[in-house]
Amino acid sequence: MERSEQERAPWWQQSVTYQVYIRSFADGNGDGTGDLAGLRSRLGYLRDLGVDAIWINPWYRSPLHDGGYDVADYRDIDERYGTLDEAQLLIDDAHAIGLKVLADLVPNHTSSEHAWFREALSADPGDVARGRYLFRPGRGDGSEPPNNWQSVFGGPAWTRVDDGDWYLHLFDVTQPDLDWSKREIRDEFLDIFRFWYDRGVDGFRVDVAHSLAKDPELPDVDPDAQAITSGNDGSHPFWDRDEVHDIIREWRHLADDDDGDKVLVAEAWVAPDRLPNYLAPDQYHQSFNFDFLKASWEATARRTVIDRSIDLMRELGSVPTWVLSNHDVIRQATRFALPGADDPMTFIEAGIPVDVDLELGLRRARAGALLMLSLPGSVYLYQGEELGLPEVTDLPEEVLDDPIWVRSGKTIKGRDGCRVPIPWERTGPSFGFGDASPWLPQPASFGERSVEAQTGVDGSTLELYRSALAIRRQHLADPLDFEWLASDDDVLAFRRGRLTSVTNLGGGAADLPPGEVVLSTTPLVDGRLPGDTAAWLIER
């Protein structure tokens, strides 16, 4: 690719985006909760880390029954995080140092405290106000839910209100689903997009992007097809229905009309053969590559996912996305050490001790990061992975906040273990997160995993990420340049320009191709690459 073509390529095609779980990133006012003031104070850290953009989990006004994914007002900032003026300052500050800002949009449902839902509860059955949501009479004498749909978080997906009507919530009871067949809903969200575009937001990550359309008949569903990953032909009653694409087309048209530099990223848990529907030229710009996140620590499995992703994106005229963790899955430094637990959606069960080899997990996580950062396309990092943070598996029951805990009958702890506030300093009541104890307790081990403890330390995970991002920026400008090299069965080796990436996912040492090693996740042994290790080489 010629340099002039690179300069014309959209910024997101080779970007590294850092996910900020704002509640757990940095506390600026000392109340134990992360906020905009804390995030603004740490923007320099993100710039120096070497990322191109930040994606901020929902910052809207919310009762936080599901970590902000229960939105009460899409045009205001929750007071625990700050104000709308502070959000504007954050956007401006980020832009001033070259960082793009992505917001998180939650269109499938609102909070039960949203003005619309409060109006719906005050209205009579059949009223227009109820029509914004999916209210239905019950079956039989009205005492049974309208159908057998189950909540993603456990239990029935229907709740009965005082006058006998039932409302749908595919997630928590405090998250009533909107009826996206109504023009009013579509117009409202188009206006929400405009509101934030006008304030300088550079794009949106769209939550559960495959869930908006529902079969108007609301039929029962096969009990084995309730999971968020179900549905593969457009006929499922609430996942990945074909009608959702009419909605997306309107969003893309608005994004393209704004200044042509906006990006829409889908969280779409769909089958590989359905993903092209979401990445057509009039749909999303990108979709998270969950196949890569879910792939086992095994060379053949990962190579298959990489090939399929690159080939598909070339066909679609897009680029792959790569991600190893987020706020919904077990952190990879723990996940990669769990025997037989390759599924990142398998949340830690309550009361079951997790005895894992964290040294092995971190070793693999570091190698996985170097593999991911050398692949063609764009990358999404989750806060704390650059510190090698493990999943916190021993949170006391009394602090658990994830609705999965209650909805599962207090049998599954859920996702809080990956949402524990990150450590900035070796000591203090919250390891530098803020001046007060944080909203979720941090383990004592976080001090030596903090930014302070790792900064400037040769071989630390933080310095590994900093070095990798700097080399990536210098040598990996072409988002589609990629060539596999011959290697052992347990090894993934490929060349991109002058850079060669080698990842040994096996147990024994492997030979390296020609080149100067510029980065390695563990030291070489007699010039060979140890197991569970990755290295980058440059041709001189």
Side-chain angles (χ1 to χ4, degrees):
M1 180 182 286
E2 299 295 329
R3 181 169 179 79
S4 59
E5 293 179 20
Q6 292 175 22
E7 291 172 347
R8 289 197 299 269
W11 65 268
W12 44 267
Q13 286 199 349
Q14 183 65 2
S15 61
V16 176
T17 299
Y18 186 98
Q19 179 188 353
V20 174
Y21 194 75
I22 188 168
R23 197 178 182 187
S24 298
F25 186 69
D27 173 14
N29 64 5
D31 65 355
T33 296
D35 49 37
L36 286 166
L39 174 53
R40 288 179 64 205
S41 74
R42 300 293 187 177
L43 284 177
Y45 166 80
L46 298 174
R47 175 200 59 209
D48 295 343
L49 182 62
V51 301
D52 305 292
I54 56 174
W55 150 35
I56 306 172
N57 285 97
W59 52 7
Y60 315 106
R61 186 159 59 80
S62 167
L64 297 185
H65 290 304
D66 183 25
Y69 284 90
D70 47 326
V71 181
D73 188 341
Y74 292 87
R75 297 178 182 83
D76 199 7
I77 299 294
D78 193 88
E79 62 182 8
R80 283 161 285 200
Y81 301 146
T83 66
L84 194 56
D85 287 342
E86 286 182 284
Q88 185 67 66
L89 289 172
L90 181 279
I91 295 168
D92 294 343
D93 287 352
H95 287 168
I97 60 173
L99 294 176
K100 303 285 189 180
V101 178
L102 305 185
D104 204 322
L105 192 70
V106 190
N108 178 72
H109 48 262
T110 72
S111 165
S112 56
E113 294 187 17
H114 191 284
W116 274 3
F117 194 71
R118 289 179 172 178
E119 184 180 353
L121 291 181
S122 300
D124 294 328
D127 189 273
V128 172
R130 288 208 173 172
R132 296 168 178 149
Y133 296 89
L134 288 158
F135 278 86
R136 296 291 187 274
R139 288 197 283 199
D141 62 359
S143 63
E144 297 295 323
N147 60 33
N148 72 340
W149 295 3
Q150 296 292 298
S151 162
V152 172
F153 293 159
W158 295 91
T159 290
R160 195 179 191 187
V161 298
D162 291 343
D163 58 30
D165 257 4
W166 296 75
Y167 69 88
L168 177 69
H169 50 86
L170 289 180
F171 294 87
D172 189 56
V173 65
T174 63
Q175 295 168 297
D177 281 48
L178 290 162
D179 185 350
W180 273 88
S181 69
K182 303 297 173 59
R183 184 69 247 177
E184 182 182 10
I185 307 301
R186 295 194 184 197
D187 289 342
E188 169 71 0
F189 275 83
L190 287 172
D191 192 66
I192 291 166
F193 276 112
R194 293 187 191 98
F195 180 88
W196 290 106
Y197 285 152
D198 288 347
R199 280 152 182 79
V201 163
D202 298 290
F204 288 88
R205 174 265 192 189
V206 179
D207 184 59
V208 201
H210 63 309
S211 66
L212 305 185
K214 276 81 174 179
D215 186 329
E217 299 300 319
L218 302 179
D220 281 350
V221 65
D222 184 335
D224 294 330
Q226 299 268 9
I228 196 169
T229 53
S230 301
N232 58 14
D233 63 2
S235 64
H236 193 279
F238 53 87
W239 297 132
D240 187 26
R241 295 185 61 79
D242 291 336
E243 302 95 298
V244 76
H245 299 287
D246 287 337
I247 300 167
I248 301 167
R249 289 186 187 95
E250 293 186 345
W251 296 353
R252 178 61 181 266
H253 181 72
L254 179 62
D256 289 346
D257 278 357
D258 188 67
D259 62 10
D261 201 34
K262 301 292 187 286
V263 63
L264 297 174
V265 186
E267 184 208 23
W269 296 87
V270 299
D273 63 336
R274 297 282 295 176
L275 189 58
N277 299 331
Y278 291 81
L279 294 171
D282 60 352
Q283 303 279 310
Y284 287 98
H285 299 85
Q286 292 186 323
S287 180
F288 288 124
N289 186 352
F290 293 122
D291 287 343
F292 184 74
L293 186 153
K294 294 187 294 182
S296 62
W297 188 255
E298 191 269 329
T300 300
R302 291 202 170 266
R303 180 168 183 148
T304 299
V305 169
I306 291 168
D307 279 338
R308 184 169 58 210
S309 300
I310 292 175
D311 290 346
L312 177 59
M313 291 305 109
R314 281 176 171 159
E315 290 177 13
L316 296 174
S318 186
V319 297
T321 63
W322 311 104
V323 60
L324 283 174
S325 64
N326 59 41
H327 64 292
D328 283 332
V329 302
I330 299 171
R331 285 192 176 275
Q332 67 263 38
T334 296
R335 191 172 79 239
F336 286 154
L338 292 174
D342 297 315
D343 183 0
M345 301 298 286
T346 302
F347 302 120
I348 303 298
E349 294 187 9
I352 299 178
V354 180
D355 184 15
V356 298
D357 185 346
L358 290 180
E359 183 177 344
L360 173 64
L362 179 58
R363 184 184 179 101
R364 289 177 170 177
R366 286 162 56 93
L370 221 58
L371 168 64
M372 175 177 67
L373 288 168
S374 58
L375 289 168
S378 59
V379 171
Y380 288 80
L381 308 177
Y382 178 51
Q383 67 178 45
E385 74 169 85
E386 79 279 13
L387 303 177
L389 296 184
E391 186 85 359
V392 180
T393 60
D394 57 355
L395 289 170
E397 293 182 3
E398 62 268 19
V399 305
L400 296 178
D401 186 74
D402 189 343
I404 289 176
W405 171 242
V406 174
R407 297 285 298 180
S408 68
K410 297 186 177 182
T411 61
I412 300 176
K413 283 191 172 183
R415 301 160 293 176
D416 290 320
C418 67
R419 300 175 177 184
V420 173
I422 65 174
W424 295 92
E425 300 170 1
R426 278 192 171 95
T427 60
S430 63
F431 299 111
F433 170 71
D435 294 332
S437 296
W439 70 282
L440 284 176
Q442 303 151 303
S445 62
F446 266 29
E448 290 307 309
R449 293 185 170 101
S450 65
V451 173
E452 179 186 32
Q454 297 195 45
T455 296
V457 177
D458 186 38
S460 72
T461 302
L462 176 57
E463 293 301 340
L464 174 72
Y465 270 76
R466 285 174 171 163
S467 297
L469 289 169
I471 295 170
R472 174 188 169 93
R473 187 181 295 272
Q474 180 181 1
H475 291 285
L476 301 181
D478 186 338
L480 288 178
D481 178 40
F482 182 84
E483 176 191 2
W484 284 113
L485 302 177
S487 63
D488 295 340
D489 290 344
D490 289 332
V491 175
L492 298 177
F494 54 86
R495 182 183 294 116
R496 294 190 59 202
R498 293 174 54 230
L499 187 143
T500 297
S501 173
V502 186
T503 306
N504 183 359
L505 292 89
D511 293 328
L512 286 169
E516 176 187 348
V517 176
V518 293
L519 196 60
S520 178
T521 57
T522 61
L524 304 186
V525 177
D526 297 328
R528 305 185 76 210
L529 190 67
D532 298 317
T533 299
W536 288 357
L537 303 89
I538 297 290
E539 294 180 4
R540 297 301 184 187

